[in-house]
Each structure stands twice: as C-alpha cells, then as structure tokens.
Amino acid sequence: MDLRVQFSRVRLGRMNNHYYLLGRSGLRVSRIALGTMNFGTGGFHAAYGKTAAEAEPIFRRYVEAGGNLIDTADFYTAGESETILGKLIAAPGVRDRLVLTSKFTNTVDPTDPNAGGNGRKHMIRAVEASLRRLGTDYLDLYLLHTWDRITPVEEVVHTFDDLVRAGKVRYAGLSDVPAWYAARAQTFAEANALTPMVTVQLPYNLVARDIEAEFPAMAQTLGIGLTIWSPIAGGLLTGKYKRSGDGLTGEGRLQAAGGQRAVSAREWRVIEELEKVAAELGRPMAQVAVNWVATQPAVGSVIVGASSPAQLDGNLAALDFEIPADARKRLDAASAPALGMPYTMFTPAYQSWIVSPGLGIGDKPAGYAPPLWNAA
C-alpha cells in the first residue's frame, strides 16, 4: 500500500500514536523517534550499517505505524544515512508528514579547519550539504551535534536564526552540550527575540543517568524538550549480553569492534533488576528500558534504532504499558546515580532536613497545571 494512504489509516494498536509538543513550540512529534545512524555502510558506523535495501523496510515500518520524528546527521555513515533517507522519503512522497532532523559539527574534511566545528562558515555549508543529500529544501529540526568548546554560543544562535529566516530550517536545537551552554543559548535567544532551542538531544538510560543532575530542571525551566539517544545503552539493557569475567559475551553492537566492553558491578545490578521487572510485566527488557526513559521528567521523545522491522516493532510497543509504581521504585533504586556536591544539597532529604525542617513545602499543588490533551 502507498505510504501516503497508509499514513491516513494508521492502526493505533501498532504504536502508541500520541503526539506531543516538543519543548515550548508548536511542533508535534512522536514519543518514539527513528534513529538512522545505521542507514548506510560507510564511515565510522560501518560495522553495523545497513544497505539501502535493508534500511527500507525499517523506515517503512516506522512510517506505517504513524511515527513522524526521523533523526539523522551529516556524520552518520559518512553522509550515506542522509542520502539513503532522502530517497526513502521521496519514493512514497511523505516528506511533509515527517519531522526530519539532522545535525552538524563533525568534520567533513580533516585538512580544513573550517570544515568542522560550530562556526557560522561550517554551519551554513553543512546545512546546504545536508539538504542536497536529503533531497529537500528545508529541515524541520536542525541541531548542533556536539559542543566544540570554542565557538561563541551567540554566533551559533544568530546563525540558527538566519537559517530559520531563510526558510532552510524550521526549528533549532542542540545535542551533547553542557547544561550551562544550553541555558546560555536559550536565554540569549529569548533576550534578543531570536529562534529558540526546542530540544537538547542527550544520552540517557538506566545505567547512565548522569544528565539528571542538571538537564531535566534546566529543560523544564527554559521550555526545552529532551530527546534521548541510547535508551538501551547500546544493547546492554536488552538481555542479550551475559557476564564473561569482567566483560560480556553476546552478538551485537557492543562486540562489533572486537574485544569486550567492561561492565561494572553497578551495571550488572541494574541489568538484573531490569530482568526481574521485565519478567513480572511479561515484557522484553528493552521495552521496559525504553518505557522508563520515555516517562522520565522533561523527556519529549526517545530515539530508537533497529536492525530489522521485527526489532523496530518491539521498540514501538514500548509505550503500550505502564511500569507499576513499585517496579519503578525498584528500577530507580538499583540505578540511582551517585550525586556529588553540591547536588546532594538539592535532594528532598537534605532540603527537608536543613532548609525547611518539619514543614511540607512544595512548588505548586497537584492539579495546578493539569496536562492538556486533545483526545483522538
């Protein structure tokens, strides 16, 4: 069936087809996004890449299920991801129904100092090249891929604004930057009536909860939705890897480059608790891991990849259930990050002990701002 027709006949049982606004914007996105880092067989990601023929059924399955948020980058498979994706989108004519996202930062020519980083020269060249490879005249969402430590944030924000005004980009965002940098970018944009950041893309999962110290509160305060990559920790949280001495055994991305990934005692405790919860719920470990991330504070969407349509189906079903409160507490306890100073001073336990002892003080009462939902 033509995907243009299929999109209008979405089967709600296939995917939790709820769309939410990304950050403080009017952009509606799926809670599960499709990552295309493995579309293509070149460059840094070649070890687990898929040919165009292998990628097509994965893309088609996602679109048929009603997903609309597609994530790529000029760096993925040395540009092949964008090229393949452009052809996959053009064939069924579904470009306008998708929220197409790409990213820039990483070098496209190691001999040229301006062919990488986040400066205006590279940023403009990068978006033009991405548009050519994708076969489109605009990107719905364009992200700075990685903080380069030296480009002034004001230059990045001004360039984003110029690209939006030129019609080449609809919305702007960031990926893998410090929280202070994202806060600076957003406040500078607000103070100068420039294009705001609607998302920050970050790694987050049950064994890597580092972002919790700063990012959720920053995002909620400044109107930014977090989009999450690596929700299953590169496959570690799927159950397919088993202990082997100080490392692990199992077929998958973590073994693709040879050798063994070291797994800490804490990580094994998380994996074991996740396995128990998944068994109790009758769900695959990967689904529970994705569900946990997607329902954490400030998270707008979770990016999942897939090596096959069947694997994608499993990921798309990750929001078809709720993790019971008791099970969530157990997962939270097993995976609790070790917060250092001064973050331990911001916990409810510390605050109730020394800031407001003996008093019950909160931000707003329950129901102060109930969620708005236009039901289907």
Side-chain angles (χ1 to χ4, degrees):
M1 180 180 289
D2 191 311
L3 287 187
R4 285 169 291 190
V5 177
Q6 189 73 8
F7 236 126
S8 66
R9 300 179 181 176
V10 170
R11 297 189 295 275
L12 294 179
R14 191 67 173 279
M15 177 180 177
N16 191 327
N17 281 304
H18 294 166
Y19 305 90
Y20 290 89
L21 301 182
L22 186 58
R24 192 180 295 142
S25 78
L27 185 63
R28 285 83 159 166
V29 300
S30 307
R31 297 182 71 196
I32 299 292
L34 178 63
T36 63
M37 187 171 67
N38 65 336
F39 283 20
T41 57
F44 184 77
H45 308 93
Y48 47 85
K50 300 296 177 183
T51 65
E54 293 170 325
E56 190 275 336
I58 298 171
F59 171 81
R60 175 162 40 86
R61 188 69 58 88
Y62 179 76
V63 173
E64 287 176 349
N68 76 339
L69 183 55
I70 309 286
D71 182 82
T72 186
D74 59 1
F75 181 65
Y76 293 165
T77 55
E80 277 189 61
S81 174
E82 289 183 328
T83 300
I84 291 172
L85 191 54
K87 294 177 181 177
L88 293 177
I89 292 171
V94 295
R95 172 67 188 91
D96 287 342
R97 291 185 177 270
L98 300 178
V99 177
L100 183 56
T101 305
S102 194
K103 303 183 284 290
F104 75 95
T105 293
N106 299 318
T107 186
V108 295
D109 180 0
T111 67
D112 181 356
N114 284 305
N118 299 325
R120 183 181 184 87
K121 181 177 175 64
H122 174 59
M123 190 171 175
I124 293 174
R125 175 165 62 178
V127 75
E128 296 285 3
S130 287
L131 293 175
R132 286 195 298 272
R133 283 189 292 267
L134 287 162
T136 184
D137 57 1
Y138 73 98
L139 288 167
D140 297 286
L141 182 58
Y142 197 43
L143 308 182
L144 176 154
H145 203 158
T146 309
W147 181 46
D148 69 3
R149 304 192 302 159
I150 55 177
T151 303
V153 66
E154 298 84 356
E155 180 175 332
V156 173
V157 174
H158 270 297
T159 308
F160 269 135
D161 189 67
D162 289 343
L163 292 175
V164 169
R165 292 175 186 275
K168 296 178 180 180
V169 172
R170 298 292 188 259
Y171 294 90
L174 307 167
S175 171
D176 301 331
V177 300
W180 69 260
Y181 184 94
R184 171 63 179 166
Q186 191 73 326
T187 52
F188 181 78
E190 290 178 347
N192 294 278
L194 300 172
T195 297
M197 306 299 107
V198 301
T199 189
V200 175
Q201 191 177 115
L202 297 164
Y204 186 34
N205 54 63
L206 276 164
V207 295
R209 295 175 57 182
D210 308 78
I211 73 167
E212 291 181 14
E214 294 273 6
F215 282 94
M218 181 276 297
Q220 290 172 324
T221 301
L222 297 179
I224 298 173
L226 301 182
T227 50
I228 302 304
W229 60 272
S230 194
I232 56 174
L236 186 63
L237 299 176
T238 63
K240 65 183 177 181
Y241 296 105
K242 304 300 179 184
R243 285 182 190 254
S244 176
D246 293 331
L248 50 79
T249 58
E251 294 297 323
R253 183 183 303 179
L254 297 181
Q255 294 283 356
Q260 288 195 347
R261 177 195 187 279
V263 182
S264 69
R266 171 187 170 274
E267 288 176 319
W268 283 122
R269 286 196 299 272
V270 174
I271 294 168
E272 289 165 2
E273 192 60 48
L274 175 62
E275 186 174 20
K276 293 176 185 177
V277 170
E280 293 167 7
L281 297 179
R283 292 281 180 169
M285 290 172 62
Q287 286 187 7
V288 178
V290 171
N291 185 300
W292 181 89
V293 170
T295 51
Q296 287 294 98
V299 174
S301 188
V302 177
I303 301 169
V304 300
S307 59
S308 69
Q311 187 182 64
L312 179 63
D313 276 341
N315 289 329
L316 296 182
L319 296 181
D320 290 347
F321 64 98
E322 292 185 6
I323 300 175
D326 179 67
R328 181 177 285 275
K329 287 181 181 178
R330 287 159 49 198
L331 291 173
D332 290 348
S335 63
L339 296 177
M341 291 289 281
Y343 300 106
T344 53
M345 300 172 67
F346 310 146
T347 62
Y350 180 93
Q351 298 262 320
S352 63
W353 167 57
I354 198 167
V355 176
S356 303
L359 300 173
I361 298 177
D363 177 19
K364 301 289 188 300
Y368 173 83
L372 298 176
W373 173 243
N374 295 324

